[in-house]
Amino acid sequence: MAEITLVEAVNLALAHELARDPSVVLLGEDIGANGGVFRATLGLKDRFGAGRVLDTPLAEAAIAGLAVGMAAEGLKPVAEIQFTGFIYPALDQLINHASRMRHRTRGRLTCPMVLRSPCGAGIHAPEHHSESPEALIAHVPGLRMVIPSSPARAYGLLLAAIRDPDPVVFFEPTRLYRLFRQAVEDDGVALPLDACFVLRGGTDLTLVSWGAAIHETLAAAGALEDEGVSAEVIDVATLKPLDMATILESVGRTGRCVVVHEAARSAGFGAEIAAGIAESGLFSLLAPLERVTGYDVVLPYSRLEMQYLPGVARILAAARRAMKFQ
Amino acid sequence: MAEITLVEAVNLALAHELARDPSVVLLGEDIGANGGVFRATLGLKDRFGAGRVLDTPLAEAAIAGLAVGMAAEGLKPVAEIQFTGFIYPALDQLINHASRMRHRTRGRLTCPMVLRSPCGAGIHAPEHHSESPEALIAHVPGLRMVIPSSPARAYGLLLAAIRDPDPVVFFEPTRLYRLFRQAVEDDGVALPLDACFVLRGGTDLTLVSWGAAIHETLAAAGALEDEGVSAEVIDVATLKPLDMATILESVGRTGRCVVVHEAARSAGFGAEIAAGIAESGLFSLLAPLERVTGYDVVLPYSRLEMQYLPGVARILAAARRAMKFQ
Amino acid sequence: MNVVASFQVERLEFLGAEGELLAPLPDFARDPEKLVALYRAMTLTRLFDARAVALQRTGQLGTFASSLGQEAVGTGVASAMREEDVLVPYYRDHGALLWRGVTMVESLLYWGGDERGCDYAGPRRDFPACVPIATQVTHAAGVACAMKLRGEPRVAVCMVGDGTTSKGDFYEGLNVAGVWHLPMVVVINNNRWAISVPLHAQTAAATLAQKAIAAGIEGLQVDGNDVIAVHEAARRAIERARAGGGPTLVEALTYRLGDHTTADDATRYRSAGEVERARRLEPRARLARYLERAGAWSGAAEERLRNECTERVEQAVREYLAVPPPAPAAMFEHLYAELPAALRPQREAALRAAGGERERG
Amino acid sequence: MNVVASFQVERLEFLGAEGELLAPLPDFARDPEKLVALYRAMTLTRLFDARAVALQRTGQLGTFASSLGQEAVGTGVASAMREEDVLVPYYRDHGALLWRGVTMVESLLYWGGDERGCDYAGPRRDFPACVPIATQVTHAAGVACAMKLRGEPRVAVCMVGDGTTSKGDFYEGLNVAGVWHLPMVVVINNNRWAISVPLHAQTAAATLAQKAIAAGIEGLQVDGNDVIAVHEAARRAIERARAGGGPTLVEALTYRLGDHTTADDATRYRSAGEVERARRLEPRARLARYLERAGAWSGAAEERLRNECTERVEQAVREYLAVPPPAPAAMFEHLYAELPAALRPQREAALRAAGGERERG
Ligand SMILES: Cc1ncc(C[n+]2csc(CCOP(=O)(O)OP(=O)(O)O)c2C)c(N)n1
Ligand SMILES: Cc1ncc(C[n+]2csc(CCOP(=O)(O)OP(=O)(O)O)c2C)c(N)n1
Ligand SMILES: [Mg+2]
Ligand SMILES: [Mg+2]
């Protein structure tokens, strides 16, 4: 079984579905000969032809709108927005159309599309290339919001996203694209789109995160272990619909919870998890909930981005506060 | 002192600032001769001229982008998006430019603009005319997000928004536009943009809401009084930056909190308030936090919209659950 | 300076304002039966439309967008489509929807605030009316792209208003259609107003057809009050698209005789004189005059048609009014193919809340 | 069919590929000193640009977008502006920025990931480089609108790429500029590629200048490797705009000789032959040949210029590398005019976290 990177896992899943389902079509900027600016679609145009892998003009609203039209007409478009910083012109189509097509036509027309986009900071990219707008998507009824944090989950979740009969937004953390390799079998087995993943069991503290921040969270859990603290780490993976049950079960056991995400804090998706606990797990809490997030500031240019990101030290500080709380 | 409606208060504030500050310019679709589809800009073009009140072509991205350009060049544009359902094409400009202009130029260029937009359901409007996307805005660093719930607050907050040196998004609940009248003096006195309003004191329970839902919340507080429950009602009004202190102080006294909003629940702004309490007011809570919100469904067409909205009965049920909780 | 490219915009018209012939009729129009069919459809559209406005005025319908005076556009275009083509309409396309087989009951349900009105029993693949301006243009391009990729001889036909041409996605859609050579036709109902904004405040372009030039596609103007011209222009464009000839932009010049919608009051921003002048050019009377002169229509036929249409409209209204409101559970149906487990508690809460309301009510 | 509108797109060019004259020179170009000034600016731009690429390759700069081969566009346009005009550039406008007085240190800071690089000490009202494609076009329209409303004889000059012309806001901005008759000029750096997408896959339009027709504004094409043509076209357009003549779209035909950015590898998607053919048309050598023939330039002058530019560039690089990184508190500065109370705890947490890092580091 080959050890591959996350971006290779994305490529593998796309190839798998292109081969399996003739209605799958990829579209986006520079995804053809160039194989995508991160090479997520490398070789796919050569292998599946220009009729399956479409280089679009530079127009994100059109990319999303094309996908809506294709999906309603029976294709399974997998659209790429080159960076999440350029997804905003596509939001209108996602919110006003993709999410509603099935509902407003009472199931007559549907929108089985995927919108992939590389997200997140930490790769010293130019401005607008490091955004994490997942909370915006997760607020929209009718959409699904998925962010993998490992090659295996990228593969399995992307298969599931493409096979899902409804629109799925799929963010791929650029910081993880080539961070590490993992054995991934091209077995076509999808992962569930309605479940968190418990990456590490623990009894004293629940750490909840998703995307690239999972890795600082896991590192923090490792450091906590050295301090004698057993931290459970949950990768939310699918933010919408949210598997709150897994989180509540964990917090019910540990009584302490730190949520970690890269996006700005206010009205970030961490708030939804905190709210879910305050509603349904309140009295299991032994310490105040903590959020370790990007600050509520404009994402700084690259020289300061590491100061902005929730690093291991900040996660550890919050975890220690939670553990010390009496 | 004249008793006026909320939409008249908006008009009054716009007129006041147009008269006071020659750099104020209004722009938007149908705001001129037509006075806006809700008449918020009624008479202003006649009074201040076509050089101050600009009817734009039908292009929301352009409206927002024009405002950014005008603001950076020293004007104070007050742009109107005809309905919040059509704000999505403007988000790119709000998120990628308006919110960042000051930050990325280290204060050299700034963006003192206001983006007004009628929001919310309950007026039996066609689809896309009843949206409440305030949580999307409230997530964006560098923006302010304001929603008034009475004529007086509309007047005072809009004055403040226009005078603010940074970009402010200002949603006006259409359901309140003509729901009731209130005495509003045209005294040019602005209200603070960083404070909640305690509309009603109470000792047993804190009800937090904003926009049109304030009125069902107040009605519920009235009904609770009849049941012997003293409910405090807080109008958040400015969602970003959020005055969490006022909410925490109240919940610290009452120990019970219900957050009410019209928007869909998941990752709605109620989550941020719940998170703030779970972080900083956890152990004052005597009952689980409750959110009474729009469901996580596509906003239904008008025949079902009242079933979607958080009505008095649903607020009461939640309040009673919170009160009964031991 | 050297000229490196030149362009012309042409206008197609056959019937003058008095129903007189301005040019030799195209083939299809030589058969009076064909024209009578168009006339009947335009008449039904007009009566349906007026009835819908009346329903709104009496609180029995939501906000409604009348197509008064623009019936030749929808009827002319839809009648040039094949059944297997896909219509991507906007909210003012009653004539096109009726011709495509959307029922009046469905339309009334839609405007009455009931999603079931978009579940067309007839044209299953046609899109529901689009409200967010211009967003439908990229949908049509997506539909056309699907057709082209599958090698199907089908065409996506998209309807837009004049104000719509100012919006970015209108242009993005045309540009993609051009470079991908898609089987797509975009028809502009140029009714000269976008709510209160007249065309001259919308764009400096002398014609809207010339917007095609930016996308490198075919564009032409037709007299949108001349159903023969509209049908002929649409037919040529659709058949060219079907044959692999690429997309076309058709600008149909007409006039919005009514208010923008029932929520609007057009007297606030335009003169009665302008409306009166435009009324003299309206499409139904013009075709009637031509047909009468051609001996294909009569006062008696007109009366029969009106009665028949009125009866059909009233029957639809009765059926519409008898439809009970959707159950609250409908909010959770068709949200996703299957309701996610996370949403079940909300659904139950909604049903409880609705039950409570009913008990109290 | 009647023709209701006709349009032509013209091309302006003066210098051929060998530096030969194709047409009588415009007035400004009769003064060799003026041309030498342009040549010097293009040379500085090219050397700066190459040094920036080298800095990136050695890890001393972030991703950088070279303007190699397109120097005539930025220099030609900016040199036609007045100081009080406003430049609204995109990320590939090094030549224009330099001419406007943005320092090389500022540019390097920007590309090095430091916001202070956008705090231009020189052109205080010019916009920083725009990264989200096409969004700057509506900014320029807003700037131009402010100028017009205040009655100022100033012009907003906006730079875009060829791929940019596919995006909706490009078109929305042009359309607004047209209907409001704004003092705005949009210049397309048509370098034939948008990352890996060649122009023919971007649009079916034969020229990009014809996109002006959709907006009802002036449009023309220039040889973008001929700085005289670029300057002259920009000058005419800017002065027409200043005089109240409305907006113009200028398409400058050039070629992106380098990779899209330092993160790109253009050999993946285009042939070496194509690049070689384009290199023969590049703007600097062409102008040098003309100036040499005109006796206004020499090998010695060239050497002096290179040395001088290299020294200036190296001095800027040294200054850039000496700038310490911004303090973490900078994240919270200039976020709002005044930091809201709600954000103070976050600021303190950030400073604590940064302090902690420092202690451990
Ligand atoms: C994106 C968007 N912005 C604003 C509106 C509100 N609105 C509804 S119709 C309309 C005018 C449309 O004019 P036009 O395209 O000419 O079509 P017409 O209604 O005249 O047929 C506007 C501004 C909308 N529906 N969508
Ligand atoms: C809205 C948006 N989408 C995508 C990108 C990513 N991107 C950066 S440059 C570029 C190509 C731009 O091509 P063109 O307009 O021709 O300018 P050039 O870089 O060739 O000068 C793309 C797709 C972006 N910056 N903004
Ligand atoms: Mg119109
Ligand atoms: Mg280019």
Side-chain angles (χ1 to χ4, degrees):
Chain A
M1 205 167 20
E3 299 247 315
I4 59 176
T5 61
L6 197 151
V7 71
E8 287 164 350
V10 167
N11 187 273
L12 200 62
L14 293 173
H16 192 99
E17 291 303 286
L18 279 164
R20 193 188 62 80
D21 180 350
S23 66
V24 171
V25 170
L26 314 191
L27 67 158
E29 297 160 8
D30 303 293
I31 67 166
N34 200 34
V37 293
F38 287 103
R39 310 288 175 260
T41 53
L42 189 70
L44 299 179
K45 184 171 178 186
D46 274 353
R47 190 163 150 207
F48 297 99
R52 305 289 301 284
V53 180
L54 313 180
D55 271 315
T56 64
L58 207 171
E60 282 76 10
I63 291 171
L66 283 164
V68 170
M70 291 168 146
E73 183 48 42
L75 294 183
K76 288 213 150 212
V78 182
E80 177 179 306
I81 299 292
Q82 202 163 81
F83 287 89
T84 48
F86 311 128
I87 207 173
Y88 306 116
L91 285 186
D92 189 26
Q93 288 290 343
L94 287 174
I95 301 176
N96 275 337
H97 289 296
S99 74
R100 302 179 193 220
M101 189 62 84
R102 179 188 292 279
H103 199 257
R104 68 195 286 255
T105 64
R106 303 283 81 196
R108 180 172 65 84
L109 297 177
T110 62
C111 199
M113 65 180 269
V114 177
L115 197 97
R116 295 177 42 246
S117 191
C119 74
I123 58 164
H124 290 281
E127 54 177 342
H128 305 287
H129 287 70
S130 305
E131 318 296 305
S132 298
E134 66 269 14
L136 275 51
I137 307 292
H139 185 43
V140 182
L143 298 181
R144 286 177 204 271
M145 177 71 245
V146 180
I147 313 183
S149 68
S150 76
R153 284 190 292 282
Y155 177 80
L157 291 170
L158 184 50
L159 289 185
I162 299 173
R163 293 173 193 173
D164 193 86
D166 290 301
V168 179
V169 178
F170 194 88
F171 284 179
E172 301 161 5
T174 55
R175 188 149 56 92
L176 303 188
Y177 264 157
R178 296 186 169 79
L179 188 68
F180 65 103
R181 295 177 170 273
Q182 195 179 35
V184 177
E185 199 173 347
D186 188 14
D187 55 9
V189 177
L191 287 168
L193 283 189
D194 56 3
C196 297
F197 297 90
V198 180
L199 299 189
R200 180 186 170 119
T203 52
D204 300 332
L205 170 70
T206 303
L207 302 176
V208 182
S209 188
W210 55 89
I214 277 290
H215 292 272
E216 285 73 45
T217 306
L218 282 170
L224 287 167
E225 186 165 23
D226 299 341
E227 301 176 12
V229 174
S230 163
E232 181 144 314
V233 175
I234 297 179
D235 178 1
V236 176
T238 297
L239 281 64
K240 188 180 193 77
L242 173 64
D243 168 19
M244 197 65 211
T246 297
I247 298 169
L248 286 171
E249 188 278 328
S250 174
V251 177
R253 279 187 287 106
T254 63
R256 298 170 206 266
C257 181
V258 177
V259 185
V260 182
H261 62 71
E262 228 184 272
R265 178 195 210 75
S266 287
F269 195 72
E272 179 58 33
I273 291 169
I277 296 173
E279 286 169 331
S280 310
L282 185 69
F283 295 103
S284 53
L285 282 181
L286 305 171
L289 195 129
E290 295 259 2
R291 284 182 287 172
V292 182
T293 68
Y295 301 111
D296 283 318
V297 301
V298 172
L299 192 66
Y301 287 6
S302 62
R303 277 183 107 171
L304 277 185
E305 70 179 330
M306 298 317 289
Q307 313 276 355
Y308 167 87
L309 287 175
V312 176
R314 284 170 60 200
I315 302 170
L316 275 176
R320 290 185 192 125
R321 272 194 305 273
M323 288 311 301
K324 274 197 208 117
F325 193 88
Q326 299 293 0
Chain B
M1 204 165 25
E3 299 246 316
I4 60 175
T5 61
L6 197 151
V7 71
E8 288 163 351
V10 167
N11 187 272
L12 199 64
L14 293 173
H16 192 97
E17 291 303 286
L18 279 163
R20 193 187 63 79
D21 180 351
S23 66
V24 171
V25 170
L26 313 191
L27 68 157
E29 297 160 9
D30 303 293
I31 67 165
N34 199 34
V37 294
F38 286 103
R39 311 290 175 255
T41 53
L42 190 71
L44 299 179
K45 186 173 176 183
D46 275 353
R47 188 161 152 210
F48 297 98
R52 305 289 301 284
V53 180
L54 313 179
D55 270 316
T56 64
L58 207 171
E60 282 77 9
I63 291 172
L66 284 164
V68 170
M70 291 167 145
E73 184 48 42
L75 295 183
K76 286 211 150 214
V78 182
E80 177 180 305
I81 298 292
Q82 202 162 79
F83 287 89
T84 47
F86 310 128
I87 207 173
Y88 306 116
L91 285 185
D92 189 26
Q93 288 290 344
L94 287 175
I95 300 176
N96 274 338
H97 289 295
S99 74
R100 300 178 194 220
M101 188 63 84
R102 179 188 292 280
H103 199 257
R104 67 195 285 254
T105 64
R106 302 284 80 197
R108 180 172 65 85
L109 297 178
T110 62
C111 199
M113 65 179 269
V114 177
L115 197 97
R116 296 176 42 245
S117 190
C119 75
I123 58 164
H124 290 282
E127 52 176 343
H128 304 289
H129 288 70
S130 306
E131 317 296 305
S132 298
E134 66 270 13
L136 275 51
I137 307 292
H139 185 43
V140 182
L143 298 182
R144 288 177 202 270
M145 176 71 244
V146 180
I147 313 182
S149 68
S150 75
R153 283 189 293 283
Y155 176 80
L157 291 170
L158 185 49
L159 289 186
I162 298 173
R163 294 173 193 174
D164 194 87
D166 289 302
V168 179
V169 177
F170 194 88
F171 283 180
E172 301 162 5
T174 56
R175 189 148 57 88
L176 304 188
Y177 263 156
R178 297 184 168 79
L179 188 67
F180 65 103
R181 295 177 171 274
Q182 197 179 34
V184 178
E185 198 172 348
D186 187 15
D187 55 8
V189 177
L191 286 168
L193 283 189
D194 57 2
C196 298
F197 297 90
V198 179
L199 300 189
R200 179 185 169 118
T203 52
D204 299 334
L205 172 69
T206 303
L207 301 177
V208 182
S209 188
W210 56 87
I214 276 289
H215 293 272
E216 286 72 46
T217 305
L218 283 170
L224 287 167
E225 185 165 24
D226 299 341
E227 300 176 14
V229 174
S230 164
E232 181 144 314
V233 175
I234 296 179
D235 178 2
V236 176
T238 297
L239 280 65
K240 188 178 193 77
L242 174 63
D243 168 20
M244 197 64 212
T246 297
I247 298 169
L248 287 171
E249 188 280 326
S250 174
V251 176
R253 280 186 286 103
T254 64
R256 296 170 207 268
C257 181
V258 177
V259 185
V260 182
H261 63 70
E262 228 183 270
R265 179 194 210 75
S266 287
F269 195 73
E272 179 57 34
I273 291 169
I277 296 173
E279 287 169 330
S280 310
L282 185 70
F283 295 102
S284 52
L285 281 181
L286 305 170
L289 195 130
E290 294 258 1
R291 283 183 288 172
V292 182
T293 69
Y295 302 110
D296 283 318
V297 302
V298 172
L299 191 67
Y301 288 6
S302 60
R303 279 184 105 171
L304 277 185
E305 70 179 330
M306 299 317 289
Q307 312 275 354
Y308 167 88
L309 287 175
V312 176
R314 284 170 61 199
I315 303 170
L316 274 177
R320 291 186 191 126
R321 271 195 305 274
M323 289 311 301
K324 276 198 207 116
F325 192 90
Q326 300 293 1
Chain C
M1 292 214 272
N2 318 320
V3 172
V4 291
S6 349
F7 307 94
Q8 291 191 328
V9 176
E10 297 185 329
R11 170 152 48 202
L12 193 64
E13 53 191 344
F14 298 101
L15 280 189
E18 302 304 322
E20 77 278 18
L21 279 188
L22 304 176
L25 284 182
D27 276 355
F28 89 91
R30 304 242 163 87
D31 176 358
E33 277 315 298
K34 290 260 169 64
L35 295 184
V36 167
L38 297 177
Y39 183 73
R40 297 172 68 91
M42 285 163 60
T43 303
L44 180 63
T45 302
R46 184 164 298 182
L47 291 172
F48 166 74
D49 203 295
R51 189 68 177 91
V53 172
L55 280 171
Q56 192 282 334
R57 300 283 184 232
T58 53
Q60 294 168 296
L61 197 73
T63 304
F64 180 79
S66 159
S67 68
L68 183 66
Q70 303 141 76
E71 296 87 352
V73 180
T75 301
V77 171
S79 59
M81 294 172 68
R82 289 201 198 152
E83 190 183 330
E84 65 269 26
D85 295 337
V86 167
L87 180 71
V88 185
Y90 79 117
Y91 49 80
R92 205 183 293 286
D93 281 318
H94 315 301
L97 265 56
L98 281 174
W99 189 282
R100 294 288 295 167
V102 175
T103 68
M104 288 183 275
V105 178
E106 286 163 351
S107 276
L108 291 171
L109 280 170
Y110 174 75
W111 292 98
D114 191 324
E115 288 85 351
R116 288 171 293 183
C118 294
D119 187 11
Y120 306 153
R124 297 293 291 168
R125 313 209 73 160
D126 282 5
F127 274 51
C130 186
V131 169
I133 297 289
T135 53
Q136 75 273 31
V137 183
T138 55
H139 299 167
V143 169
C145 183
M147 294 164 167
K148 180 173 170 148
L149 290 176
R150 289 188 301 230
E152 298 165 353
R154 298 166 62 207
V155 179
V157 177
C158 182
M159 313 293 295
V160 305
D162 48 310
T164 309
T165 64
S166 294
K167 200 150 160 288
D169 28 11
F170 164 77
Y171 169 74
E172 290 190 7
L174 290 191
N175 188 61
V176 172
V179 73
W180 288 358
H181 215 62
L182 298 178
M184 158 162 149
V185 175
V186 176
V187 179
I188 305 171
N189 172 352
N190 181 357
N191 62 17
R192 317 292 172 105
W193 290 88
I195 309 187
S196 71
V197 179
L199 191 58
H200 66 81
Q202 195 66 249
T203 185
T207 70
L208 297 180
Q210 78 199 51
K211 307 235 169 203
I213 297 169
I217 67 172
E218 295 289 324
L220 84 165
Q221 208 181 50
V222 299
D223 182 340
N225 291 331
D226 172 358
V227 73
I228 299 175
V230 174
H231 179 98
E232 179 62 11
R235 194 192 59 75
R236 290 184 199 167
I238 291 170
E239 292 317 320
R240 180 171 47 236
R242 197 184 311 285
T248 304
L249 178 67
V250 179
E251 175 191 10
L253 276 166
T254 175
Y255 191 87
R256 197 194 79 206
L257 287 174
D259 293 330
H260 170 68
T261 65
T262 51
D264 178 52
D265 171 8
T267 63
R268 297 179 55 79
Y269 51 76
R270 66 182 188 185
S271 72
E274 174 181 318
V275 180
E276 271 326 300
R277 280 190 299 282
R279 199 182 303 280
R280 280 180 233 134
L281 304 173
E282 69 95 357
R284 214 186 67 98
R286 175 185 306 205
L287 184 57
R289 279 185 216 116
Y290 171 76
L291 287 173
E292 276 166 20
R293 244 179 266 156
W297 200 246
S298 66
E302 180 74 20
E303 204 187 315
R304 270 199 310 280
L305 174 62
R306 279 184 177 271
N307 290 340
E308 181 197 317
C309 288
T310 304
E311 200 161 301
R312 285 178 63 191
V313 170
E314 290 310 321
Q315 176 59 25
V317 169
R318 279 191 297 274
E319 279 180 45
Y320 156 67
L321 292 174
V323 177
M331 285 191 279
F332 293 85
E333 284 160 16
H334 304 297
L335 178 61
Y336 299 94
E338 200 178 326
L339 193 70
L343 275 168
R344 276 181 228 142
Q346 288 194 32
R347 183 175 180 277
E348 280 152 34
L351 298 194
R352 265 200 312 281
E357 301 276 346
R358 221 170 291 139
E359 274 159 38
R360 268 196 315 287
Chain D
M1 293 215 271
N2 318 320
V3 173
V4 290
S6 347
F7 308 94
Q8 291 191 328
V9 176
E10 297 185 329
R11 170 154 47 203
L12 192 64
E13 52 191 345
F14 297 101
L15 280 190
E18 302 304 323
E20 77 279 19
L21 278 188
L22 304 175
L25 283 183
D27 276 356
F28 88 90
R30 304 238 165 88
D31 175 358
E33 276 316 297
K34 289 259 171 64
L35 296 184
V36 167
L38 296 178
Y39 183 73
R40 296 173 68 90
M42 286 163 60
T43 303
L44 180 64
T45 302
R46 185 164 297 183
L47 291 173
F48 166 74
D49 204 295
R51 188 66 177 92
V53 171
L55 280 171
Q56 192 282 334
R57 299 282 184 233
T58 53
Q60 293 167 294
L61 197 74
T63 303
F64 179 80
S66 158
S67 67
L68 183 66
Q70 303 140 75
E71 296 86 353
V73 181
T75 301
V77 172
S79 58
M81 293 173 68
R82 289 200 198 151
E83 191 182 330
E84 65 268 28
D85 296 337
V86 167
L87 179 72
V88 184
Y90 79 118
Y91 48 79
R92 205 184 296 284
D93 281 317
H94 314 302
L97 265 58
L98 281 175
W99 189 282
R100 293 288 295 167
V102 175
T103 68
M104 288 182 276
V105 178
E106 285 163 352
S107 275
L108 291 171
L109 280 170
Y110 174 76
W111 292 98
D114 191 324
E115 288 85 351
R116 288 172 291 184
C118 294
D119 186 12
Y120 306 154
R124 296 292 292 167
R125 314 206 75 159
D126 282 5
F127 274 51
C130 186
V131 168
I133 297 289
T135 54
Q136 74 273 31
V137 183
T138 56
H139 300 166
V143 169
C145 183
M147 293 165 168
K148 180 174 170 146
L149 290 176
R150 289 188 302 230
E152 299 165 352
R154 298 165 62 208
V155 179
V157 177
C158 182
M159 313 293 294
V160 305
D162 49 308
T164 309
T165 65
S166 294
K167 202 151 160 286
D169 28 11
F170 164 77
Y171 169 74
E172 290 190 6
L174 290 192
N175 188 61
V176 171
V179 73
W180 288 358
H181 215 63
L182 297 178
M184 157 162 150
V185 175
V186 176
V187 178
I188 305 170
N189 172 352
N190 181 356
N191 62 17
R192 320 293 173 104
W193 290 88
I195 309 187
S196 72
V197 179
L199 191 58
H200 66 80
Q202 195 68 248
T203 185
T207 70
L208 298 180
Q210 78 199 51
K211 307 235 169 204
I213 298 169
I217 67 174
E218 295 289 324
L220 84 165
Q221 207 179 53
V222 301
D223 182 341
N225 290 332
D226 172 358
V227 73
I228 300 175
V230 175
H231 178 97
E232 178 63 10
R235 194 192 58 74
R236 291 184 199 168
I238 290 170
E239 293 316 321
R240 180 170 49 234
R242 196 184 313 285
T248 304
L249 178 67
V250 179
E251 174 191 9
L253 276 167
T254 174
Y255 191 87
R256 196 193 80 208
L257 287 174
D259 293 329
H260 169 69
T261 64
T262 50
D264 177 52
D265 172 8
T267 64
R268 298 179 55 77
Y269 51 76
R270 67 182 188 185
S271 71
E274 174 181 317
V275 180
E276 271 327 301
R277 279 190 300 281
R279 199 182 304 280
R280 280 180 234 134
L281 304 173
E282 68 96 356
R284 212 184 70 97
R286 175 186 305 204
L287 184 56
R289 277 184 219 118
Y290 170 77
L291 288 173
E292 277 166 21
R293 246 180 265 154
W297 199 246
S298 66
E302 179 75 20
E303 203 186 315
R304 270 199 310 281
L305 174 63
R306 279 183 177 270
N307 289 341
E308 179 197 320
C309 289
T310 303
E311 200 160 301
R312 284 178 64 192
V313 170
E314 290 310 320
Q315 174 60 25
V317 169
R318 278 191 298 274
E319 279 180 45
Y320 156 68
L321 291 173
V323 177
M331 285 192 278
F332 293 84
E333 284 159 17
H334 305 297
L335 179 61
Y336 299 93
E338 200 180 326
L339 193 70
L343 275 167
R344 275 180 230 141
Q346 288 193 32
R347 183 174 180 278
E348 279 151 37
L351 299 194
R352 265 199 314 280
E357 300 276 343
R358 221 169 292 139
E359 274 158 39
R360 269 196 313 288

